[in-house]
Amino acid sequence: MHKEEDFKLLRIIFIAVLVSVLSSTSMAHDTEENKLLKEIFRELVEIDTSHATGNTTLAIEAAAKRLRQAGFDEKDINLFEPFPGKGNLVVRLRGTGHQKPLLLVSHLDVVDATEKDWGRDPFKLIESDGYYYGRGVLDDKSTAAIYLSVLTQLKRQGYKPSRDIILALTSDEERHDVPSNGIAWLVKHHPDLLQAEFGLIQGGSGELRQGKPVLMRIGVNQKNYLSLIWEARNSGGHSSTPRSDNALYELASALLRLQAYTFPAHVSAIVRPYLTHSAPYTEGQQRIDLEQAGRDEIDDDLAKRLSTSPVFNALLRTTCVATRIQSDGPENALPQFVRATINCRLLPDDDIQSIEQSLRAIAGPNIDVQRLRSSDGARSSPIDSALYQSIVKTIHHAYPNVVSIPWMTTGATDARHLRAIGIPTYGFLGVFADPKKPWNAHGSNENIHIGQLFKARDIALDLILDITR
């Protein structure tokens, strides 16, 4: 009897030691992979890929070098440079072919940044107070570095997925005033390289409440895009003899009418869960309003109260805002023309022609209205797909108390180009932030929490393994 008990005890000790050894090995391995992630991340951030002063091709070439070092065959690494300094890369980790491919997408270009605005070199990765700072650390070089480090790890380890894994690193996602590049260019010129059952891209992330992860937003659709030019003109004149029909005042009056105008509020089926799950983290009237809006019981007063929040306002309605003003002439002359750029983000179900007609009416007869650019026909990705369910499963494994919900991206992403050719695409990155503390993705001191970055890599690896087994 004692021998049996001794044997059981020895067996328990052996298993405990084995688990401990495996855990230590895993931790050491994770540490090495995290070191590599940091190397890749730093390298990408410190390559200036802005339009004004940068070169995205340099970042693409750096990524290709990493892939070659990991053992990728040259035939599986495709580099394209449609425009000078504006490169794109598509690489494929070949699998068994038992399932259709998985597509991973991240853009490497960033919005312009200057040392004057930042008070330092924005293209130097800084580590401070548990955060990384630098242009692109959040939008979108964190995603690129995570995917690149995971893919190189899988290649080095000889992993054979059930489906090909395709990674596209692209240019010009942040710009709308150039010929189509990036994913749009690849879709047009090399659609065969992108064909996949579904894809992952930026456009979804998690929320912290009181420092704890509580909600993961998975991007399944996004708003449409419309930019217009409003222009006022007259013959001008000398500023010493001003006249009543000043073009600047005419445009200013039109802009004030735009400021006062709001498009009707509507709660879509995709937005509803977010409002419902946000309610418990508020109090008073706003909590009541969110609960009611989550049931699609919305009236003008309720919409007006919720719209004091820029986030809720953007989720509830089409928005149009003036973003730029231009004029001519010296300071001592009346302007002969003044123009403003009006940028709109449309709810997917709103008709772009009707919105434009409304804007022409708001502008009035003395303002010439021209469409600058637009994107229409936004599609939604289904929430019953294997990839969506795998995201939910992976997040639950990493954060058991976090609720995953579908999300409408209020900004523009390249997902629209992929959904348009029949590839269900999901916005997702396993990082969390407090909604009251913006990440400042396009502003100075753009940042990402260091622990969140490394945790997001673990989540990405688990997700990719889960969907490619």
Side-chain angles (χ1 to χ4, degrees):
M1 184 69 179
H2 290 294
K3 287 184 178 180
E4 287 183 8
E5 290 177 353
D6 289 344
F7 177 75
K8 288 180 179 178
L9 179 60
L10 286 172
R11 187 168 181 272
I12 291 171
I13 293 173
F14 174 76
I15 291 173
V17 170
L18 181 61
V19 169
S20 176
V21 169
L22 288 174
S23 298
S24 299
T25 303
S26 175
M27 287 176 65
H29 177 74
D30 287 346
T31 301
E32 289 304 310
E33 293 300 339
N34 282 345
K35 287 180 180 178
L36 181 59
L37 170 60
K38 185 175 179 179
E39 286 179 15
I40 295 172
F41 188 52
R42 180 180 297 278
E43 182 176 38
L44 293 180
V45 171
E46 296 190 348
I47 298 174
D48 180 354
T49 54
S50 66
H51 173 67
T53 58
N55 187 316
T56 315
T57 300
L58 296 178
I60 295 299
E61 290 171 344
K65 182 178 180 180
R66 296 275 182 182
L67 293 165
R68 294 186 188 103
Q69 290 171 343
F72 278 87
D73 195 294
E74 200 65 41
K75 67 177 174 34
D76 291 326
I77 303 173
N78 298 276
L79 281 74
F80 306 98
E81 193 178 33
F83 310 98
K86 301 286 187 177
N88 305 291
L89 178 149
V90 182
V91 62
R92 183 178 297 260
L93 176 63
R94 297 191 178 272
T96 63
H98 291 155
Q99 299 185 83
K100 293 180 180 179
L102 167 68
L103 175 63
L104 311 173
V105 178
S106 175
H107 66 89
L108 286 178
D109 64 304
V110 298
V111 296
D112 294 341
T114 65
E115 190 167 341
K116 180 181 178 181
D117 292 335
W118 281 60
R120 63 172 182 81
D121 183 356
F123 299 102
K124 185 74 175 177
L125 186 68
I126 299 295
E127 183 176 341
S128 177
D129 300 325
Y131 287 82
Y132 285 133
Y133 292 84
R135 172 57 84 228
V137 295
L138 185 64
D139 188 9
D140 188 32
K141 290 182 178 179
S142 50
T143 307
I146 286 170
Y147 286 159
L148 194 55
S149 72
V150 167
L151 217 59
T152 54
Q153 175 188 349
L154 296 180
K155 184 65 175 180
R156 290 195 313 273
Q157 294 178 346
Y159 177 64
K160 197 71 171 178
S162 63
R163 59 176 91 233
D164 289 1
I165 304 173
I166 305 165
L167 172 62
L169 301 176
T170 65
S171 293
D172 282 336
E173 192 271 354
E174 296 288 6
R175 301 191 67 213
H176 301 281
D177 58 342
V178 293
S180 294
N181 192 14
I183 283 294
W185 187 88
L186 290 168
V187 164
K188 183 177 180 180
H189 296 279
H190 297 280
D192 54 307
L193 295 178
L194 303 179
Q195 287 303 315
E197 184 173 351
F198 26 54
L200 285 171
I201 202 168
Q202 68 178 132
S205 59
E207 288 189 0
L208 297 172
R209 300 288 183 171
Q210 298 177 337
K212 296 180 180 180
V214 297
L215 202 64
M216 174 53 65
R217 307 172 304 187
I218 305 170
V220 298
N221 76 352
Q222 65 185 44
K223 285 182 144 183
N224 285 313
Y225 187 97
L226 172 65
S227 272
L228 301 170
I229 296 295
W230 283 11
E231 185 174 277
R233 281 187 173 273
N234 63 33
S235 57
H238 201 285
S239 63
S240 65
T241 54
R243 41 193 285 177
S244 60
D245 59 343
N246 188 308
L248 185 54
Y249 296 159
E250 290 179 355
L251 181 62
S253 296
L255 293 177
L256 288 174
R257 290 194 294 274
L258 176 65
Q259 181 187 26
Y261 185 85
T262 55
F263 288 93
H266 168 65
V267 183
S268 70
I270 289 173
V271 169
R272 206 171 297 147
Y274 178 72
L275 301 180
T276 299
H277 286 93
S278 295
Y281 306 104
T282 60
E283 54 188 25
Q285 185 62 50
Q286 188 175 69
R287 179 168 185 164
I288 296 170
D289 289 344
L290 286 171
E291 290 173 345
Q292 187 173 334
R295 297 190 297 269
D296 198 17
E297 300 170 1
I298 189 167
D299 56 34
D300 291 343
D301 290 338
L302 185 154
K304 186 176 181 179
R305 289 192 298 270
L306 287 182
S307 295
T308 59
S309 160
V311 173
F312 294 145
N313 183 58
L315 291 173
L316 290 175
R317 58 166 51 87
T318 288
T319 61
C320 294
V321 62
T323 58
R324 186 164 51 188
I325 292 181
Q326 298 168 286
S327 186
D328 71 324
E331 64 178 87
N332 62 348
L334 301 177
Q336 296 184 59
F337 80 86
V338 186
R339 65 173 63 104
T341 302
I342 311 299
N343 182 245
C344 303
R345 306 300 175 111
L346 282 65
L347 291 176
D349 293 334
D350 278 358
D351 178 66
I352 196 167
Q353 303 292 343
S354 297
I355 297 298
E356 186 170 339
Q357 287 177 1
S358 297
L359 291 169
R360 289 179 182 277
I362 294 167
N366 296 327
I367 304 296
D368 180 53
V369 178
Q370 307 164 33
R371 185 185 296 197
L372 187 60
R373 59 187 60 87
S374 63
S375 67
D376 200 1
R379 301 184 183 183
S380 295
S381 299
I383 62 173
D384 59 354
S385 72
L387 181 55
Y388 185 94
Q389 296 303 319
S390 184
I391 295 172
V392 173
K393 172 184 172 184
T394 304
I395 285 297
H396 180 71
H397 180 261
Y399 298 98
N401 296 322
V402 168
V403 176
S404 295
I405 59 166
W407 172 252
M408 179 184 70
T409 307
T410 56
T413 75
D414 280 334
R416 66 187 187 277
H417 301 300
L418 299 172
R419 291 174 183 142
I421 61 170
I423 301 176
T425 304
Y426 300 89
F428 173 72
L429 183 64
V431 296
F432 294 79
D434 190 329
K436 297 179 181 179
K437 300 176 182 178
W439 287 338
N440 206 17
H442 284 189
S444 59
N445 287 326
E446 181 177 348
N447 62 81
I448 187 170
H449 190 276
I450 295 172
Q452 291 282 346
L453 176 69
F454 292 128
K455 182 69 172 180
R457 185 199 185 278
D458 294 338
I459 291 171
L461 176 61
D462 290 347
L463 172 60
I464 290 170
L465 290 175
D466 185 69
I467 199 64
T468 63
R469 285 195 180 99

